[in-house]
């Protein structure tokens, strides 16, 4: 039997450190679920998910600015006839909110009214019904209920008729009134007899309203011809993945603003009752238990604060290095490494990786995974330069160059990868044919024979 002593280093991570790393990596939805689960186990934990009023108002204001820009572009387009400008035909991917916004000119309204209108549009369900009552909306925006009712009536006057109703009855009455068919009998029939209409109980309807059975049948047929769900014909994303951006980059006239989602940072605190109980109890077991739970809350608060601080640092460093992207669009995306951001933010590269994992950023050009801003470099050399200085292009930039080159190739004789390599060299990009084939496949571009077959077919 041989006994040996060996020195060996092992990295041991505490439970707290693991929790901190886990929280950093969570999305906003995952963090909310995690904190709620802890609240069920820990009586000393008070949780409050702050209403993201600042983000909501900023987003609504941003929507107003976007519509202003859209209307300006439309008015400056000489090819648009009045008929085209006011054509409300539903596009395949047009949402109800977009359809209604196209009929409103939010510039006509005060800022307060415009924000309320945006909020009402956000609270239409898949049927086109308003899900919040006027009193709640008035309280949220610190105004009178009459003001909100006036704006609801405005939305109810738009196409499709019946939208922004609070109930099925109101939806049907709006449609009958718009068609100038509403009379006292129809109003009572909609308000009191919808269930009988659905069951074709004409005799019961006639007896209740004092009309003939034939009239009840005629009115019922008219009601059935109405649309009970005017918003259902528009594009919905109910079955799509719902993404909550973690970072917003808003553009104003002369500057950008970086904001974190309000739902991103639940406010956690120690429950005052259990804090007092811990300080006053004479039972050692109770005190030990409560001290442990209070420490858990304090550490959770520290982890969430650190998560927010790190997320903001990384977002700011991304913006600094990708300012051209946010100002001019995706074509200006620059090469960027996680190590560069980590060094600037004074954190570890693995921390950057955890921070951007499954998180999204919203800007003028859409919603993007934060990982999309980290693009590898494709080395390029300017052959005309004596010093042969190296420049850097992203792989996406090279793919766009390939697409540009392929669009100019002879239809009957598409460029081979070798010729594509030469064409790229003319643009100052020197990469191997193997890399070109890889980029071409990633971009979904067939090889030369495949492109020729596509043309011939």
């Amino acid at each position: 039997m041989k006994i040996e002593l060996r020195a060996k280093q092992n990295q041991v991570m505490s439970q707290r450190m693991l929790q901190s790393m886990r929280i950093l990596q969570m999305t906003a939805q995952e963090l909310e679920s995690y904190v709620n689960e802890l609240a069920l186990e820990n009586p000393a934990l008070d949780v409050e998910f702050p209403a993201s009023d600042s983000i909501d108002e900023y987003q609504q204001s941003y929507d107003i600015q976007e519509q202003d820009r859209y209307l300006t572009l439309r008015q400056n387009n000489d090819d648009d006839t009045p008929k085209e400008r006011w054509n409300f035909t539903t596009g395949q991917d047009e949402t109800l909110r977009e359809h209604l916004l196209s009929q409103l000119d939010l510039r006509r309204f005060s800022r307060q009214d415009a924000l309320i209108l945006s909020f009402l549009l956000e609270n239409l369900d898949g049927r086109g019904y308003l899900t919040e009552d006027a009193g709640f909306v008035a309280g949220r925006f610190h105004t009178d209920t009459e003001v909100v009712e006036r704006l609801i009536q405005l939305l109810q006057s738009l196409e499709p008729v019946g939208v922004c109703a609070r109930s099925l009855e109101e939806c049907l009455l709006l449609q009958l009134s718009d068609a100038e068919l509403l009379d006292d009998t129809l109003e009572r029939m909609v308000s009191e007899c919808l269930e009988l209409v659905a069951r074709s109980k004409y005799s019961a309807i006639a007896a209740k309203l004092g009309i003939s059975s034939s009239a009840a049948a005629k009115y019922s047929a008219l009601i059935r011809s109405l649309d009970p769900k005017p918003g259902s014909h528009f594009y919905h994303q109910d079955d799509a993945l719902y993404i909550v951006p973690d970072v917003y980059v808003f553009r104003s006239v002369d500057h950008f603003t970086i904001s974190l989602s309000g739902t991103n940072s639940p406010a956690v605190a120690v429950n005052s009752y259990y804090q007092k109980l811990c300080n006053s109890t004479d039972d050692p077991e109770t005190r030990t238990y409560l001290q442990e739970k209070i420490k858990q809350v304090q550490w959770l608060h520290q982890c969430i604060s650190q998560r927010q601080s790190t997320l903001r640092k990384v977002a700011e460093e991304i913006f600094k290095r990708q300012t051209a992207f946010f100002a001019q669009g995706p074509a200006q995306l620059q090469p960027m490494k996680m190590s560069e951001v980590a060094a600037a933010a004074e954190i570890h590269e693995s921390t950057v990786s955890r921070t951007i994992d499954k998180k999204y950023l919203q800007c003028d050009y859409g919603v993007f995974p934060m990982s999309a801003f980290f693009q590898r470099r494709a080395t390029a050399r300017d052959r005309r330069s004596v010093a042969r200085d190296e420049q850097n292009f992203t792989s996406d930039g090279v793919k766009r160059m390939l697409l540009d080159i392929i669009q100019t190739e002879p239809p009957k004789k598409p460029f081979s990868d070798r010729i594509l390599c030469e064409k790229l060299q003319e643009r100052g990009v020197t990469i191997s044919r193997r890399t070109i084939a890889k980029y071409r496949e990633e971009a979904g571009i067939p090889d030369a024979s495949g492109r020729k077959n596509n043309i011939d077919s």
Side-chain angles (χ1 to χ4, degrees):
M1 181 176 180
K2 185 177 180 181
I3 299 177
E4 293 183 358
L5 293 176
R6 292 183 181 177
K8 184 178 180 182
Q9 287 186 335
N10 288 323
Q11 184 176 13
V12 179
M13 302 191 70
S14 67
Q15 188 67 28
R16 282 191 169 189
M17 186 60 66
L18 289 171
Q19 183 189 35
S20 176
M21 293 169 56
R22 182 183 173 191
I23 288 175
L24 177 62
Q25 202 162 352
M26 288 179 181
T27 63
Q29 299 98 316
E30 290 171 345
L31 180 58
E32 179 178 352
S33 299
Y34 177 69
V35 172
N36 283 332
E37 289 175 6
L38 288 182
L40 295 175
E41 303 172 1
N42 189 342
L45 174 59
D46 274 349
V47 184
E48 180 181 353
F49 288 91
S52 53
D53 289 345
S54 59
I55 291 295
D56 287 344
E57 183 170 333
Y58 214 146
Q59 182 65 50
Q60 291 159 1
S61 175
Y62 173 73
D63 290 340
I64 296 170
Q65 294 174 20
E66 282 300 296
Q67 193 203 41
D68 181 82
R69 183 186 306 172
Y70 167 77
L71 289 173
T72 302
L73 289 173
R74 295 284 290 180
Q75 291 166 359
N76 291 338
N77 189 340
D78 296 334
D79 295 333
D80 281 346
T81 64
K83 180 179 179 181
E84 290 170 338
R85 275 200 294 270
W86 298 105
N87 182 2
F88 297 141
T89 304
T90 303
Q92 183 179 3
D93 293 335
E94 185 181 34
T95 66
L96 175 61
R97 182 176 179 279
E98 292 168 343
H99 185 67
L100 295 174
L101 271 175
S102 71
Q103 302 170 61
L104 286 172
D105 184 354
L106 294 183
R107 297 173 299 178
R108 295 190 296 116
F109 301 93
S110 66
R111 177 175 177 79
Q112 174 85 337
D113 285 358
L115 291 174
I116 293 174
L117 285 169
S118 290
F119 181 79
L120 292 173
L121 292 177
E122 289 291 349
N123 283 276
L124 297 180
D125 63 15
R127 302 168 299 171
Y129 291 7
L130 182 62
T131 59
E132 298 288 0
D133 61 66
F136 172 83
V137 179
R140 178 183 175 92
F141 288 93
H142 309 292
T143 188
D144 297 329
T145 304
E146 292 75 15
V147 173
V148 179
E149 286 289 354
R150 172 175 57 82
L151 295 175
I152 290 175
Q153 291 176 11
L154 171 63
L155 293 179
Q156 290 177 345
S157 69
L158 304 178
E159 296 285 345
V161 180
V163 75
C164 209
R166 271 68 66 92
S167 65
L168 173 61
E169 290 80 4
E170 185 178 19
C171 178
L172 299 178
L173 290 173
L174 286 169
Q175 294 177 56
L176 290 169
S177 177
D178 181 77
E180 299 182 351
L181 297 172
L182 187 62
D183 56 25
D184 293 340
T185 302
L186 266 174
E187 186 170 0
R188 284 193 62 195
M189 198 166 175
V190 170
S191 302
E192 304 172 19
C193 306
L194 278 186
E195 185 176 349
L196 296 175
V197 171
R199 295 161 58 192
S200 301
K201 299 289 185 179
Y202 304 133
S203 298
I205 295 172
K208 186 169 185 177
L209 300 182
I211 59 177
S212 66
S213 295
S214 60
K218 182 181 70 172
Y219 282 137
S220 295
L222 177 58
I223 291 173
R224 288 197 188 95
S225 69
L226 303 175
D227 188 353
K229 301 177 182 179
S232 63
H233 309 292
F234 293 83
Y235 176 68
H236 297 283
Q237 294 179 321
D238 296 339
D239 298 328
L241 178 63
Y242 183 63
I243 294 174
V244 177
D246 297 85
V247 179
Y248 295 85
V249 177
F250 297 106
R251 172 157 55 180
S252 299
V253 177
D254 57 353
H255 70 281
F256 289 87
T257 302
I258 301 174
S259 297
L260 302 186
S261 171
T263 59
N264 221 325
S265 180
V268 298
V270 177
N271 183 279
S272 58
Y273 170 78
Y274 288 102
Q275 181 68 72
K276 291 178 182 178
L277 181 60
C278 179
N279 295 335
S280 61
T281 183
D282 294 329
D283 184 0
E285 291 186 5
T286 301
R287 183 182 295 109
T288 301
Y289 171 79
L290 290 176
Q291 286 175 344
E292 179 183 344
K293 293 303 180 182
I294 290 171
K295 286 180 180 179
Q296 185 184 56
V297 175
Q298 293 170 341
W299 177 250
L300 178 63
H301 179 272
Q302 183 178 337
C303 289
I304 293 176
S305 298
Q306 184 64 39
R307 174 186 185 273
Q308 292 300 95
S309 174
T310 304
L311 182 59
R312 177 171 288 279
K313 281 183 181 180
V314 171
E316 289 174 349
E317 291 302 329
I318 289 175
F319 176 79
K320 288 178 184 178
R321 287 162 173 72
Q322 300 291 359
T323 303
F325 170 94
F326 295 106
Q328 302 173 39
Q332 301 300 319
L333 189 65
Q334 301 298 312
M336 185 172 68
K337 294 180 180 179
M338 288 189 189
S339 57
E340 297 170 348
V341 172
E346 298 181 345
I347 55 180
H348 196 273
E349 186 175 343
S350 63
T351 303
V352 176
S353 177
R354 291 188 180 92
T355 302
I356 67 172
D357 184 45
K358 297 181 292 185
K359 296 183 182 67
Y360 291 82
L361 181 149
Q362 178 176 327
C363 64
D364 279 8
Y365 302 100
V367 179
F368 299 87
M370 292 184 71
S371 58
F373 294 95
F374 294 87
Q375 291 284 331
R376 64 182 183 271
R377 289 172 168 82
T379 302
R381 290 181 179 175
D382 187 346
R383 285 183 167 275
R384 293 166 296 180
S385 172
V386 177
R388 301 173 65 88
D389 294 331
E390 289 195 349
Q391 302 174 6
N392 288 313
F393 296 84
T394 65
S395 56
D396 284 351
V398 175
K399 291 173 188 176
R400 284 192 291 271
M401 289 185 189
L402 284 174
L403 285 171
D404 290 341
I405 294 171
I406 287 173
Q407 288 175 356
T408 64
E409 67 186 0
K412 295 184 178 180
K413 193 176 181 181
F415 295 145
S416 66
D417 288 347
R418 179 183 62 78
I419 297 178
L420 290 175
C421 182
E422 295 173 355
K423 296 289 185 181
L424 282 176
Q425 286 179 355
E426 293 173 3
R427 298 191 179 199
V429 180
T430 303
I431 53 178
S432 66
R433 278 187 287 175
R434 180 180 299 178
T435 304
I436 287 179
K438 175 185 174 183
Y439 286 171
R440 180 173 48 73
E441 291 171 2
E442 289 178 354
I445 304 172
D447 60 14
S449 61
R451 298 200 300 277
K452 183 177 180 180
N453 290 337
N454 290 339
I455 295 169
D456 292 342
S457 60

